[in-house]
Amino acid sequence: MKLTLLLAGAALAAMLVAQPPTCTLTLIPDQVRGVAYHVIFKVAPSCPADAVFRVRKSSTINQKKNGAPYQPIKPLVGAWDIGKTTSTVPGAELWTSLTWQWQVYDEAQLNPATQLPGTWRRIRTERTP
């Protein structure tokens, strides 16, 4: 019995140590001018080369009729792609009003409104503007 518990404990410890590194996207505000800030997106070095993040801006103060936060309609699909070596975010969009936040689409997180996988969450900021 003790041997079984020791083997199970060792197997569990090996699984915890062998977990793949997390792949994250971080936002770094590098300049602030008045009521706007410029962002740089940093993809974690542990991410695979083909990892792509879907990002968008979302208003923190303006809302639609149904109470959902307002998102810009540029581009028409409402979001852009960011990877280790590429980005579809237009340069002018990197300037962001202090009343807007950047969000990333998380396929694994449960959407509380639809009870389906996939929701938008705020991008972790390395430092505040």
Side-chain angles (χ1 to χ4, degrees), residues 110-127:
L110 186 69
N111 185 327
T114 62
Q115 295 301 308
L116 297 172
T119 190
W120 292 92
R121 62 177 172 75
R122 187 177 192 147
I123 298 175
R124 188 176 76 80
T125 305
E126 195 165 286
R127 63 180 194 272

Side-chain angles (χ1 to χ4, degrees), residues 2 5 15 17 44 51 58 61 63-64 68-70 72 75 81 83 85 88 90 97 99-101 107 117 122-123:
K2 283 186 178 179
L5 288 174
M15 285 178 16
V17 170
S58 183
I61 59 172
Q63 295 183 343
K64 297 178 185 176
Y70 174 77
D81 293 326
T85 58
T88 61
S97 168
T99 61
W100 288 74
Q101 71 177 351
E107 295 174 347
R122 187 177 192 147
I123 298 175

